[in-house]
Amino acid sequence: MRSKKFLKAEQAHLAWDVPGLVAGVDEAGRGPLAGPVVAAAVILDDRSPIKGLADSKLLTALRRERLYDEIRAKALCCSVAQASVEEIDQLNILQATMLAMRRAVLGLRLKPTKVLVDGNRLPALDVLAEAIVSGDALVPCISAASILAKVTRDRLLCEMHLQHPEYGFDRHKGYGTAEHLRALQEHGALPMHRRTFAPVARVLANAVLTGAHPNE
């Protein structure tokens, strides 16, 4: 059963609303087979508008990088957090995503009076919160959070590529593409692979059956 704190966060927007600082929250990396899930929280400055904010998935990599720098420079405050591969495997991806979002909000230098979260689920928070489906395309502060989260995670996966170029992390960013699945079959699972995700679990199970040694 969910705690009263979780229920309050989920339903608070039905009861009241208050003026003040509003933070947008979004995540990147729920679907991939490897790497952490990353979340960001952003409080924008109305006096320093940022043009071109949109769902990060609809922007080119170059545009995301430029907006990333502009958001970091102009936002009143922002915070990026993550949940590790180990936490994803222990908690499940949904709960790990909620954990990363909570960490992002708690990491803000300024405390918002309201938090707007992309999607239809909310992390446990001690402030008024509202979930907005497709919020990353509709609400500027959520769009900004989606950009920070995606750029941060993409950079992490590019760092993984430097360590293990045979997996192609710089191209698929950990998602289960045909290229990635072939690399898993050929080279085995790495510590940064999510062991509870089916394609990785199958590779690990096959390694046990055949006596092979996965990349631990």
Side-chain angles (χ1 to χ4, degrees):
M1 190 173 83
R2 290 176 294 183
S3 69
K4 291 181 179 179
K5 179 185 288 186
F6 186 92
L7 289 171
K8 179 180 178 182
E10 188 173 33
Q11 298 175 358
H13 68 283
L14 300 177
W16 75 89
D17 204 348
V18 293
L21 298 176
V22 176
V25 178
D26 201 3
E27 54 74 29
R30 284 184 64 169
L33 307 179
V37 59
V38 176
V42 179
I43 300 177
L44 294 175
D45 186 348
D46 292 338
R47 298 166 299 179
S48 299
I50 300 172
K51 294 182 180 180
L53 291 174
D55 178 357
S56 63
K57 296 184 292 296
L58 303 180
L59 301 169
T60 65
L62 178 60
R63 184 63 179 148
R64 284 195 300 267
E65 288 283 347
R66 290 176 175 171
L67 283 169
Y68 176 96
D69 292 337
E70 189 172 0
I71 294 164
R72 298 293 300 224
K74 291 184 175 181
L76 284 178
C77 63
C78 50
S79 169
V80 179
Q82 60 182 268
S84 68
V85 170
E86 292 77 17
E87 288 171 324
I88 292 170
D89 286 338
Q90 291 168 6
L91 300 173
N92 74 46
I93 185 58
L94 173 60
Q95 295 306 317
T97 299
M98 295 298 103
L99 177 61
M101 287 182 168
R102 174 175 167 80
R103 286 170 173 167
V105 174
L106 293 176
L108 289 168
R109 177 177 55 84
L110 303 173
K111 185 170 183 177
T113 56
K114 186 172 184 179
V115 175
L116 304 178
V117 181
D118 181 59
N120 59 5
R121 301 291 185 102
L122 289 171
L125 300 169
D126 62 355
V127 297
L128 184 66
E130 180 177 358
I132 301 177
V133 175
S134 299
D136 50 1
L138 301 171
V139 182
C141 60
I142 300 180
S143 299
S146 76
I147 291 166
L148 293 194
K150 180 160 179 56
V151 170
T152 298
R153 191 177 188 282
D154 284 356
R155 290 177 178 178
L156 290 173
L157 271 292
C158 286
E159 291 176 7
M160 290 183 191
H161 173 73
L162 295 177
Q163 300 170 14
H164 303 281
E166 66 274 19
Y167 288 83
F169 288 123
D170 63 328
R171 295 181 291 278
H172 54 66
K173 303 301 189 294
Y175 283 89
T177 64
E179 176 190 12
H180 192 182
L181 295 177
R182 284 195 301 270
L184 268 173
Q185 291 292 336
E186 183 175 352
H187 304 292
L190 295 165
M192 62 275 293
H193 277 106
R194 301 173 181 179
R195 278 151 167 67
T196 52
F197 279 45
V200 181
R202 285 195 294 268
V203 167
L204 292 170
N206 185 61
V208 171
L209 290 174
T210 60
H213 297 283
N215 291 309
E216 296 280 343

